[in-house]
Amino acid sequence: MLHPEASESRIGGSLTTPPTPPSTPSSPPGTTLTDAGAFSLEELADLFNRAYEGYAVPTHVDAGMVAFMQDVLDIDPERSRVALRDGKPVGMAMLSMRGDAGWVGGMGVCAEARRCGIGDQLMRALIGQAREAGARRLGLDAIHDAAAADRMIAAERGMARLARAPPGAAQRAALDHDATA
């Protein structure tokens, strides 16, 4: 369970500046990326659950929830990325787009594949996909207690913490936006 004092960090940055060259190898050995549209809703749900295993917020999704996220949160499966290690899905980064604004609709790496650069590879690929889609800015909501959030804020990605909000605020805002649209 999430600690009651935990909060989300809204992280974002402009995509109008040229990308910074990677400071680490762009592709960990044996790892490739493919678009998430190549996977069924059931396969993506399984990957979400494995990628969020041990996360600060207990997370479980099913195929219906993945379909809901694609529809309501505007996750674009063809622009989203899945990391494969030796052909097995081990990580994902989901891109949501509305106009010229993009945000990371979910990102995680399975426990057995963490700490080897796959998250960095996924994030760089997602930033590239957002640029190609015409995004001028990209946001990411992360649980403040998550150490990975601090790495996502790294200056080499051109992102900075924009705000802090209670857990779930970004999802509620997206649902409120849809309700008024």
Side-chain angles (χ1 to χ4, degrees):
M1 175 177 236
L2 183 65
H3 189 277
E5 294 178 17
S7 63
E8 287 184 344
S9 292
R10 174 139 309 148
I11 301 164
S14 171
L15 294 182
T16 59
T17 57
T20 304
S23 59
T24 58
S26 61
S27 183
T31 304
T32 57
L33 299 184
T34 189
D35 71 85
F39 296 85
S40 71
L41 295 173
E42 290 80 10
E43 291 169 320
L44 290 174
D46 178 64
L47 181 55
F48 258 97
N49 292 328
R50 291 187 304 113
Y52 282 96
E53 183 179 353
Y55 194 60
V57 177
T59 302
H60 180 80
V61 301
D62 59 17
M65 179 57 75
V66 174
F68 174 83
M69 291 187 299
Q70 288 178 355
D71 183 45
V72 175
L73 301 179
D74 297 321
I75 290 177
D76 182 344
E78 282 69 39
R79 292 205 177 270
S80 298
R81 292 293 173 255
V82 170
L84 303 170
R85 178 187 274 172
D86 300 323
K88 178 184 173 192
V90 294
M92 51 83 192
M94 302 296 163
L95 178 64
S96 297
M97 290 290 302
R98 286 193 183 142
D100 69 353
W103 67 94
V104 181
M107 181 182 167
V109 177
C110 299
E112 72 273 11
R114 291 179 187 153
R115 305 244 182 258
C116 66
I118 292 172
D120 185 65
Q121 182 185 18
L122 283 163
M123 194 64 191
R124 289 182 189 284
L126 211 65
I127 290 169
Q129 286 297 312
R131 276 192 170 98
E132 285 180 24
R136 296 180 53 80
R137 55 192 182 280
L138 182 67
L140 166 70
D141 291 310
I143 301 302
H144 176 65
D145 291 0
D150 291 332
R151 290 191 296 279
M152 291 300 138
I153 299 170
E156 70 182 58
R157 290 180 190 83
M159 300 180 98
R161 182 171 282 127
L162 301 176
R164 290 172 81 148
Q171 292 82 359
R172 286 189 298 278
L175 292 174
D176 289 346
H177 171 79
D178 281 352
T180 61

